[in-house]
């Protein structure tokens, strides 16, 4: 139940420790889009050196494309490093490529769907291997592939990713990055829309985005109160040996509502600690 991830270019080792201390739940060191071709080797070495030691929070690495020339070097550099918590796999279009990386990497995998082809195979990708720990959407590339310019054009794609992840038994997915780091109001509105679709959390490209994302996905006081009310009513019904739970506002509570309430309480407790 992590809400915030912070991307850092792999060729900026001066930012690695700062990113870990910036307040995100996890950090992603990016060897792919954030690094130009001529600096790939430098970035790879810098990331490998940083991950030679355990880190206080999860640090993932976004490797280069699975069918490209840099993947072998990426895996050789970072796989097995004490500080590595997982790999982000970009532009995934086939479950076979995910399974092939899983056989070599020995770490949790986080595939990113970034094309129409990948979107059509979203569930198969999510269920490709036990090492798959989450499923994500790379919206910038997908926008280009689909020819859409706004969030409305991605509505179906976002919903498909949420359904595919949950159908494969994975956690709710996190949203893709919001590119305009100055537009915090737009970020908040976008996060709220994503939460209504079933997303949980979001990746950031600047530390100033982290509090906005956390606030958007963290349960509010009213939500927590309603969850506690539901669980208290369930506990009271159990003392009466009754399978019927009616809340004070007249709603009937079923097992799905109970499970959702417990997730709210757990998430609230995590962020209150």
């Amino acid at each position: 139940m992590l809400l915030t991830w912070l991307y850092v270019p792999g060729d900026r080792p001066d930012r690695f420790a700062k990113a870990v201390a910036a307040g995100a739940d996890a950090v992603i060191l990016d060897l792919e889009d954030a690094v130009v071709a001529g600096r790939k080797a430098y970035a790879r070495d810098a990331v490998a050196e940083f991950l030679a030691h355990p880190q206080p929070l999860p640090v993932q690495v976004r490797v280069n494309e699975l069918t490209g020339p840099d993947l072998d070097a990426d895996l050789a550099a970072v796989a097995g490093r004490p500080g590595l918590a997982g790999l982000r796999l970009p532009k995934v279009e086939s479950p076979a490529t995910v399974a092939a990386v899983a056989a070599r990497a020995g770490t949790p995998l986080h595939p990113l769907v970034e094309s129409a082809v990948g979107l059509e195979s979203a569930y198969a990708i999510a269920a490709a291997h036990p090492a798959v720990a989450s499923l994500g959407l790379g919206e910038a590339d997908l926008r280009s592939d689909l020819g859409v310019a706004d969030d409305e054009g991605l509505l179906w794609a976002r919903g498909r990713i949420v359904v595919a992840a949950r159908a494969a038994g994975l956690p709710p997915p996190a949203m893709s990055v919001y590119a305009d780091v100055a537009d915090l109001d737009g970020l908040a509105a976008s996060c709220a829309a994503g939460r209504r679709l079933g997303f949980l959390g979001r990746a950031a490209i600047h530390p100033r985005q982290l509090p906005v994302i956390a606030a958007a996905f963290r349960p509010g006081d009213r939500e927590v109160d309603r969850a506690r009310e539901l669980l208290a009513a369930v506990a009271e019904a159990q003392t009466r040996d009754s399978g019927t739970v009616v809340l004070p506002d007249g709603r009937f509570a079923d097992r799905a509502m109970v499970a959702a309430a417990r997730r709210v309480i757990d998430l609230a407790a995590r962020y209150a600690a």
Side-chain angles (χ1 to χ4, degrees), residues 66-149:
L66 308 192
T67 57
D70 292 299
L71 180 65
D72 288 347
D74 290 349
L75 293 180
V78 304
R81 291 275 166 167
L84 179 68
L87 298 177
R88 293 235 162 180
L89 309 181
K91 301 175 176 60
V92 177
E93 295 186 335
S94 162
T97 56
V98 175
V101 174
R104 303 170 57 192
T107 191
L109 302 180
H110 305 267
L112 298 172
V113 170
E114 305 186 60
S115 68
V117 172
L119 203 58
E120 283 296 290
S121 300
Y123 172 74
I125 290 168
H129 193 276
V132 175
S134 75
L135 183 69
L137 192 64
E139 293 187 356
D141 285 78
L142 186 61
R143 286 177 193 271
S144 177
D145 195 21
L146 298 181
V148 300

Side-chain angles (χ1 to χ4, degrees), residues 10-13 31 35-44:
D11 61 348
R12 292 300 307 268
L31 295 176
V35 181
V36 298
R39 290 178 63 84
K40 296 285 188 185
Y42 170 76
R44 192 178 296 123

